[in-house]
């Protein structure tokens, strides 16, 4: 375990590799703003260093690669009205996601355990995603009154068979077999071989050879693949209500369980997430990130975000008081308005033309 005085994130140059280790195991390596800014800085420096030919990212502790952004920290900042600090958090995380997406060197995530929310943003957008036997992926934001962010507006609607819509609207967890089938994981190895893989990558040899030497077969596919036909048929409906109606009509145990799970989620968040999936298929990555930034800033004032975090992470009673409580009472005009420009004109770009402070300089 790490001591209180250890850094939250560790950086090492080892041979030809730049190594990044998320170092908050007690917090499941949840991301803070200082972690994201430090990681951006290291990636920027290594991209310009000819001796570094690849980057390897890991999480410490074995339980999680990264369970997401530190939502409790964001919640506390928002409740205290510290809007500038909230804005800084979202800018730091979303600029980092966009940077990983356009990174010019191989970016390898060795994923042990849980990868959720912001952890998906740190791994999925890189060139190589190596799952392990304890790999578990989810985007559970609709369960806390938020929405699937970190680039999911772009990534999820592009998954085959409406699987991304299913993941966005349920927050369901999937394993390595389904992740491979969907292209969310590119390779698989047992976690005990991650050190050896890292050493081989640092040696500068061919990346695929390092994976091949330690590869193990992906696990059997899971529910999302086994029930792919049901998912595609139901989640192709044009509205959340339509999806639930199709699941109810299907009547299979999987459909019934899926509908029941969705009905525990914030109705407002479900509608936001569905609209993300509808709009996102027509957006490039930078446009999707900008849409998510607008949503994130607005979400800080949503009742359901504060109530969802309270119920799940603060009081932990798991009894959120969603408002509105019924899907039929969600205002379609309000959902559409959430995707419009912010009133103050705040519109950062995530296409590489600017960094955290809006300039061409590397962020400090």
């Amino acid at each position: 375990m790490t001591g209180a005085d250890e850094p939250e994130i560790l950086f090492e140059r080892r041979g030809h590799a730049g190594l990044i280790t998320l170092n908050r195991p007690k917090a499941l390596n949840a991301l803070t703003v200082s972690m994201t800014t430090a990681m951006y800085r290291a990636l920027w420096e290594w991209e310009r260093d000819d001796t570094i030919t690849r980057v390897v990212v890991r999480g410490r502790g074995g339980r999680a690669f990264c369970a997401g952004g530190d939502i409790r920290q964001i919640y506390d900042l928002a409740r205290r009205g510290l809007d500038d600090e909230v804005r800084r958090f979202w800018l730091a995380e979303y600029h980092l996601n966009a940077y990983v997406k356009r990174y010019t060197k191989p970016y390898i995530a060795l994923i042990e355990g849980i990868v959720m929310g912001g952890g998906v943003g740190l791994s999925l957008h890189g060139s190589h995603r190596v799952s392990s036997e304890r790999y578990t992926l989810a985007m559970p934001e609709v369960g806390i009154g938020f929405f699937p962010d970190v680039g999911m507006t772009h990534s999820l609607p592009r998954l085959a068979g409406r699987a991304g819509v299913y993941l966005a609207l349920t927050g369901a967890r999937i394993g390595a077999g389904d992740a491979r089938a969907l292209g969310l994981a590119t390779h698989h190895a047992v976690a005990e071989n991650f050190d050896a893989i890292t050493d081989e990558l640092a040696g500068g040899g061919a990346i695929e050879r390092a994976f091949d030497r330690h590869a193990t077969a992906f696990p059997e596919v899971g529910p999302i693949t086994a029930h792919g036909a049901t998912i595609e048929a139901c989640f192709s409906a044009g509205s959340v209500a339509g999806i639930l109606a199709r699941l109810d009509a299907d009547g299979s145990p999987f459909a019934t369980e899926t509908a029941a799970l969705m009905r525990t989620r914030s109705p407002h968040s479900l509608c936001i997430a569905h609209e993300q999936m509808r709009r996102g298929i027509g957006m490039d990555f930078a446009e999707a990130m900008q849409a998510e930034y607008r949503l994130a800033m607005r979400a800080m004032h949503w009742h359901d975000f504060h109530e969802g975090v309270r119920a799940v992470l603060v009081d932990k009673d798991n009894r959120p008081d969603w408002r509105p409580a019924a899907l039929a009472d969600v205002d379609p005009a309000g959902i559409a308005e959430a995707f419009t420009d912010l009133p103050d004109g705040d519109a950062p770009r995530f296409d590489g033309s600017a960094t955290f402070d809006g300039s061409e300089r590397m962020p400090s």
Side-chain angles (χ1 to χ4, degrees):
M1 301 302 289
T2 60
D5 57 344
E6 284 198 35
E8 296 177 326
I9 186 167
L10 306 173
F11 303 98
E12 177 188 354
R13 294 169 181 262
R14 188 187 304 176
H16 293 270
L19 307 182
I20 300 174
T21 304
L22 309 177
N23 193 39
R24 299 184 70 208
K26 291 182 179 179
L28 301 181
N29 296 317
L31 296 169
T32 65
V33 68
S34 62
M35 292 168 72
T36 55
T37 54
M39 185 169 173
Y40 189 107
R41 188 179 305 114
L43 290 173
W44 191 92
E45 292 173 353
W46 290 342
E47 191 173 30
R48 289 152 180 79
D49 185 342
D50 291 340
T51 68
I52 300 295
T53 62
R54 70 282 311 265
V55 171
V56 181
V57 186
R58 300 178 64 177
R60 189 169 179 182
R63 293 177 59 201
F65 171 78
C66 174
D70 195 331
I71 291 293
R72 177 64 185 269
Q73 181 186 65
I74 301 166
Y75 166 86
D76 288 340
L77 291 172
R79 286 180 64 83
R80 291 161 59 193
L82 299 176
D83 292 345
D84 288 343
E85 291 298 309
V86 170
R87 180 177 185 272
R88 183 168 173 255
F89 185 99
W90 296 123
L91 283 175
E93 184 171 30
Y94 292 173
H95 272 297
L96 178 59
N97 298 149
Y99 193 22
V100 170
K101 179 70 173 178
R102 65 176 186 271
Y103 206 62
T104 58
K105 295 182 177 181
Y107 177 102
I108 302 147
L110 301 180
I111 306 169
E112 183 178 6
I114 297 168
V115 54
M116 295 184 182
V120 179
L122 284 190
S123 54
L124 180 60
H125 306 314
S127 58
H128 300 76
R129 288 90 61 189
V130 185
S131 60
S132 66
E133 67 275 22
R134 291 185 291 275
Y135 174 103
T136 302
L137 179 146
M139 292 298 299
E141 287 78 10
V142 292
I144 58 167
F146 197 57
F147 64 93
D149 64 335
V150 296
M152 295 306 104
T153 302
H154 182 269
S155 300
L156 292 183
R158 287 167 170 79
L159 297 184
R162 302 285 176 159
V165 184
Y166 165 83
L167 292 174
L169 269 63
T170 63
R173 299 185 179 197
I174 64 171
D178 277 341
R180 173 57 172 168
L182 295 173
L184 300 173
T186 59
H187 302 78
H188 187 72
V190 295
E192 68 179 19
N193 288 337
F194 278 5
D195 286 344
I197 292 172
T198 300
D199 289 341
E200 290 200 29
L201 292 170
I207 291 172
E208 292 297 330
R209 186 183 308 142
F211 296 146
D212 291 344
R213 284 166 61 89
H214 299 282
T216 54
F218 274 88
E220 293 295 321
V221 295
I224 197 170
T225 304
H227 299 285
T230 298
I231 289 171
E232 184 166 16
C234 295
F235 283 82
S236 60
S239 66
V240 179
I243 291 170
L244 285 168
R246 291 187 185 184
L247 288 168
D248 291 340
D250 180 280
S252 66
F254 173 79
T256 300
E257 291 169 9
T258 299
L261 178 61
M262 287 179 61
R263 288 186 168 105
T264 68
R265 306 316 198 186
S266 158
H268 178 261
S269 290
L270 288 174
C271 293
I272 289 287
H274 189 268
E275 186 68 3
Q276 283 179 266
M277 300 300 101
R278 188 186 73 80
R279 292 174 182 248
I281 197 68
M283 295 179 178
D284 64 26
F285 193 81
E287 291 169 338
M289 295 305 304
Q290 190 173 67
E292 291 178 6
Y293 173 77
R294 296 186 186 114
L295 289 172
M297 293 303 294
R298 286 188 163 103
M300 299 301 94
H301 304 284
W302 292 346
H303 166 271
D304 278 11
F305 171 72
H306 292 272
E307 176 62 10
V309 175
R310 179 208 63 77
V312 176
L313 299 176
V314 180
D315 297 337
K316 300 182 181 180
D317 58 23
N318 291 308
R319 298 178 62 185
D321 174 25
W322 301 130
R323 298 181 189 174
L327 191 62
D329 294 331
V330 177
D331 179 15
I335 299 301
E337 184 180 3
F339 289 83
T340 62
D341 292 343
L342 293 169
D344 61 3
D346 186 14
R349 299 175 66 178
F350 299 95
D351 57 3
S353 61
T355 55
F356 295 85
D357 60 0
S359 74
E360 296 296 333
R361 296 180 291 106
M362 186 191 74
S364 58

